[in-house]
Amino acid sequence: MSFTLATWNINSVRLREPIVCKLLAEEGPDVLCLQECKSPVDKIPLEAFAALGYTHMVAEGQKGYNGVAILSKLPLEPAGAQDFAQLGHARHVAARLPNGVTVHNFYVPAGGDVADREVNEKFGQKMDYLSQMRDFFHADAPQKSILVGDLNIAPREDDVWDHKKLLKVVSHTPIEVEALAQTQDAGKWVDITRQDIPEGLLYSWWSYRAKDWDGADKGRRLDHVWATPDISTAAHSSRVLRDARGWEKPSDHAPVFATFDL
């Protein structure tokens, strides 16, 4: 059975309902994981999504901030939600699919502008969040699982437009990259996107500050798809839908897709 999953930081699911519907209608992934929904669960426009075949949803909501949702054509069984770093934020939700795969949808804190927890509380929260993710997967090794979301870190040199210039910029600092690597190692997660696209510059986010985002192309790969080793070999194609960054009233993120034969 071929199964396609997409992850997208939508930056307000209600404001960008039209482009979510566009993606569902034109691309038709079996599962779409959204981050930064900025909506209580009962305000997510599920009727519009259900009309396109996405009749199942598991979500954690929050008014005006954060929020994660898993939309699916397939039945979903809720599989928990963790409040890492005890922030009281809706940043994680998990669901189990009929094929037994558990999908974890994450929105890791961005971390503010200064990579120093002594002067920037938000950076400390980000580091604490990652360390608790690491400990969670150490304590309970995931199996037959996929982890997706806006992890707010571009780990590789070719995941950013200029490695040297961004070494001190939050999202690409060595301390963040190491923390993400420890989290990945804890669950033995495989980076599916880079398994399928091993070489070359690859981005999923372009700042709103750049009017000519496409021409300037100063991007970062902040959005990820990981899988446990027992299903990582079933992955066979990945892509970033870059065009979505140019849709009307876009998110600053583009959707990332992965297809598995399970």
Short mmCIF file of all heavy atoms in Angstrom, two decimals, residues 12-18 20-21 24 34 37 39-52 54 57 71:
data_model
loop_
_atom_site.label_atom_id
_atom_site.label_comp_id
_atom_site.label_asym_id
_atom_site.label_seq_id
_atom_site.Cartn_x
_atom_site.Cartn_y
_atom_site.Cartn_z
N SER A 12 -1.51 29.87 10.74
CA SER A 12 -2.94 30.19 10.91
C SER A 12 -3.81 29.40 9.92
O SER A 12 -3.93 29.74 8.74
CB SER A 12 -3.27 31.68 10.76
OG SER A 12 -4.67 31.87 10.91
N VAL A 13 -4.41 28.34 10.44
CA VAL A 13 -5.21 27.45 9.59
C VAL A 13 -6.50 28.12 9.12
O VAL A 13 -7.00 27.83 8.02
CB VAL A 13 -5.49 26.12 10.32
CG1 VAL A 13 -6.42 26.31 11.51
CG2 VAL A 13 -6.05 25.07 9.37
N ARG A 14 -7.03 29.04 9.91
CA ARG A 14 -8.26 29.72 9.49
C ARG A 14 -7.97 30.80 8.45
O ARG A 14 -8.67 30.91 7.44
CB ARG A 14 -8.97 30.32 10.70
CG ARG A 14 -9.63 29.25 11.57
CD ARG A 14 -10.47 29.86 12.67
NE ARG A 14 -9.66 30.34 13.77
CZ ARG A 14 -10.13 31.05 14.79
NH1 ARG A 14 -11.42 31.38 14.82
NH2 ARG A 14 -9.33 31.43 15.77
N LEU A 15 -6.92 31.56 8.67
CA LEU A 15 -6.54 32.58 7.69
C LEU A 15 -6.16 31.95 6.36
O LEU A 15 -6.45 32.50 5.29
CB LEU A 15 -5.36 33.39 8.24
CG LEU A 15 -4.84 34.53 7.36
CD1 LEU A 15 -5.91 35.61 7.19
CD2 LEU A 15 -3.57 35.13 7.97
N ARG A 16 -5.54 30.78 6.40
CA ARG A 16 -5.05 30.15 5.17
C ARG A 16 -5.85 28.91 4.78
O ARG A 16 -5.37 28.04 4.06
CB ARG A 16 -3.57 29.84 5.32
CG ARG A 16 -2.78 31.11 5.54
CD ARG A 16 -1.29 30.95 5.55
NE ARG A 16 -0.70 31.86 6.52
CZ ARG A 16 -0.62 33.17 6.36
NH1 ARG A 16 -1.06 33.74 5.24
NH2 ARG A 16 -0.10 33.93 7.31
N GLU A 17 -7.10 28.86 5.22
CA GLU A 17 -7.98 27.77 4.81
C GLU A 17 -8.00 27.58 3.29
O GLU A 17 -7.94 26.43 2.81
CB GLU A 17 -9.40 28.03 5.32
CG GLU A 17 -10.41 27.00 4.88
CD GLU A 17 -11.84 27.38 5.26
OE1 GLU A 17 -12.03 28.23 6.17
OE2 GLU A 17 -12.77 26.83 4.65
N PRO A 18 -8.04 28.65 2.47
CA PRO A 18 -8.08 28.43 1.02
C PRO A 18 -6.87 27.68 0.46
O PRO A 18 -7.03 26.83 -0.42
CB PRO A 18 -8.13 29.85 0.45
CG PRO A 18 -8.76 30.67 1.54
CD PRO A 18 -8.22 30.08 2.81
N VAL A 20 -4.89 25.62 2.21
CA VAL A 20 -4.94 24.24 2.70
C VAL A 20 -5.86 23.43 1.79
O VAL A 20 -5.52 22.31 1.37
CB VAL A 20 -5.42 24.17 4.16
CG1 VAL A 20 -5.56 22.71 4.60
CG2 VAL A 20 -4.46 24.90 5.09
N CYS A 21 -7.01 23.98 1.46
CA CYS A 21 -7.95 23.29 0.56
C CYS A 21 -7.33 23.08 -0.82
O CYS A 21 -7.52 22.03 -1.44
CB CYS A 21 -9.25 24.07 0.45
SG CYS A 21 -10.26 24.03 1.96
N LEU A 24 -4.95 20.14 -0.52
CA LEU A 24 -5.66 18.87 -0.39
C LEU A 24 -6.29 18.46 -1.72
O LEU A 24 -6.25 17.28 -2.10
CB LEU A 24 -6.73 18.99 0.70
CG LEU A 24 -6.22 19.26 2.12
CD1 LEU A 24 -7.40 19.42 3.08
CD2 LEU A 24 -5.29 18.16 2.61
N LEU A 34 -0.34 19.69 10.16
CA LEU A 34 -0.22 21.14 10.18
C LEU A 34 0.35 21.60 11.51
O LEU A 34 0.06 21.03 12.56
CB LEU A 34 -1.58 21.79 9.97
CG LEU A 34 -2.30 21.50 8.66
CD1 LEU A 34 -3.71 22.06 8.69
CD2 LEU A 34 -1.52 22.08 7.47
N CYS A 37 -1.20 26.28 13.91
CA CYS A 37 -2.59 26.45 13.47
C CYS A 37 -3.23 27.71 14.05
O CYS A 37 -4.17 28.26 13.46
CB CYS A 37 -3.42 25.23 13.86
SG CYS A 37 -2.94 23.72 13.00
N SER A 39 -5.29 28.22 16.48
CA SER A 39 -6.75 28.09 16.59
C SER A 39 -7.12 27.06 17.64
O SER A 39 -6.48 26.01 17.74
CB SER A 39 -7.32 27.65 15.23
OG SER A 39 -8.70 27.38 15.32
N PRO A 40 -8.20 27.33 18.41
CA PRO A 40 -8.77 26.25 19.21
C PRO A 40 -9.23 25.13 18.27
O PRO A 40 -9.58 25.39 17.11
CB PRO A 40 -9.96 26.92 19.91
CG PRO A 40 -9.71 28.38 19.80
CD PRO A 40 -8.94 28.59 18.55
N VAL A 41 -9.26 23.93 18.77
CA VAL A 41 -9.63 22.78 17.93
C VAL A 41 -11.01 22.97 17.31
O VAL A 41 -11.22 22.68 16.12
CB VAL A 41 -9.55 21.46 18.73
CG1 VAL A 41 -10.11 20.30 17.91
CG2 VAL A 41 -8.12 21.17 19.15
N ASP A 42 -11.97 23.48 18.09
CA ASP A 42 -13.34 23.58 17.58
C ASP A 42 -13.51 24.69 16.54
O ASP A 42 -14.57 24.78 15.91
CB ASP A 42 -14.34 23.77 18.72
CG ASP A 42 -14.13 25.05 19.51
OD1 ASP A 42 -13.14 25.77 19.25
OD2 ASP A 42 -14.95 25.33 20.41
N LYS A 43 -12.49 25.50 16.34
CA LYS A 43 -12.56 26.55 15.32
C LYS A 43 -11.82 26.18 14.03
O LYS A 43 -11.86 26.93 13.05
CB LYS A 43 -11.98 27.85 15.87
CG LYS A 43 -12.67 28.40 17.11
CD LYS A 43 -14.07 28.90 16.80
CE LYS A 43 -14.67 29.58 18.03
NZ LYS A 43 -16.05 30.04 17.79
N ILE A 44 -11.14 25.05 14.02
CA ILE A 44 -10.47 24.59 12.80
C ILE A 44 -11.54 24.27 11.76
O ILE A 44 -12.52 23.57 12.07
CB ILE A 44 -9.58 23.36 13.09
CG1 ILE A 44 -8.43 23.77 14.02
CG2 ILE A 44 -9.03 22.76 11.80
CD1 ILE A 44 -7.56 22.60 14.49
N PRO A 45 -11.40 24.76 10.53
CA PRO A 45 -12.47 24.59 9.52
C PRO A 45 -12.54 23.18 8.96
O PRO A 45 -12.31 22.94 7.77
CB PRO A 45 -12.09 25.62 8.45
CG PRO A 45 -10.62 25.80 8.58
CD PRO A 45 -10.31 25.63 10.03
N LEU A 46 -12.92 22.23 9.81
CA LEU A 46 -12.92 20.83 9.42
C LEU A 46 -13.95 20.52 8.34
O LEU A 46 -13.74 19.63 7.52
CB LEU A 46 -13.16 19.95 10.65
CG LEU A 46 -13.03 18.44 10.46
CD1 LEU A 46 -11.66 18.06 9.90
CD2 LEU A 46 -13.28 17.71 11.76
N GLU A 47 -15.06 21.26 8.31
CA GLU A 47 -16.09 20.97 7.30
C GLU A 47 -15.54 21.13 5.88
O GLU A 47 -15.82 20.32 5.00
CB GLU A 47 -17.29 21.91 7.50
CG GLU A 47 -18.18 21.53 8.66
CD GLU A 47 -19.45 22.36 8.71
OE1 GLU A 47 -19.75 23.06 7.71
OE2 GLU A 47 -20.15 22.30 9.74
N ALA A 48 -14.74 22.18 5.67
CA ALA A 48 -14.15 22.41 4.35
C ALA A 48 -13.19 21.28 3.99
O ALA A 48 -13.14 20.84 2.84
CB ALA A 48 -13.42 23.74 4.33
N PHE A 49 -12.45 20.81 4.98
CA PHE A 49 -11.50 19.73 4.72
C PHE A 49 -12.23 18.39 4.52
O PHE A 49 -11.85 17.59 3.66
CB PHE A 49 -10.49 19.62 5.87
CG PHE A 49 -9.78 20.92 6.19
CD1 PHE A 49 -9.39 21.21 7.48
CD2 PHE A 49 -9.53 21.87 5.20
CE1 PHE A 49 -8.74 22.41 7.79
CE2 PHE A 49 -8.89 23.07 5.49
CZ PHE A 49 -8.50 23.34 6.80
N ALA A 50 -13.28 18.18 5.28
CA ALA A 50 -14.06 16.95 5.15
C ALA A 50 -14.70 16.85 3.78
O ALA A 50 -14.82 15.75 3.20
CB ALA A 50 -15.12 16.88 6.25
N ALA A 51 -15.10 17.99 3.22
CA ALA A 51 -15.70 18.00 1.89
C ALA A 51 -14.72 17.53 0.83
O ALA A 51 -15.13 17.09 -0.26
CB ALA A 51 -16.20 19.41 1.56
N LEU A 52 -13.45 17.60 1.14
CA LEU A 52 -12.41 17.14 0.21
C LEU A 52 -11.93 15.73 0.55
O LEU A 52 -10.97 15.25 -0.04
CB LEU A 52 -11.22 18.12 0.25
CG LEU A 52 -11.53 19.52 -0.29
CD1 LEU A 52 -10.43 20.50 0.09
CD2 LEU A 52 -11.72 19.48 -1.81
N TYR A 54 -11.16 14.64 3.78
CA TYR A 54 -10.37 14.56 5.01
C TYR A 54 -11.33 14.63 6.20
O TYR A 54 -11.53 15.67 6.81
CB TYR A 54 -9.32 15.67 5.04
CG TYR A 54 -8.31 15.46 3.94
CD1 TYR A 54 -8.59 15.86 2.63
CD2 TYR A 54 -7.11 14.80 4.17
CE1 TYR A 54 -7.69 15.62 1.59
CE2 TYR A 54 -6.20 14.56 3.15
CZ TYR A 54 -6.51 14.97 1.86
OH TYR A 54 -5.63 14.71 0.83
N MET A 57 -9.61 13.93 12.04
CA MET A 57 -8.64 14.89 12.56
C MET A 57 -8.34 14.58 14.02
O MET A 57 -9.25 14.26 14.80
CB MET A 57 -9.16 16.33 12.45
CG MET A 57 -8.18 17.37 13.00
SD MET A 57 -8.78 19.09 12.85
CE MET A 57 -10.00 19.14 14.17
N LEU A 71 -4.70 15.91 9.79
CA LEU A 71 -5.87 15.67 8.95
C LEU A 71 -5.65 14.40 8.15
O LEU A 71 -4.53 14.16 7.67
CB LEU A 71 -6.09 16.84 7.99
CG LEU A 71 -6.16 18.25 8.57
CD1 LEU A 71 -6.29 19.27 7.44
CD2 LEU A 71 -7.32 18.37 9.55
#
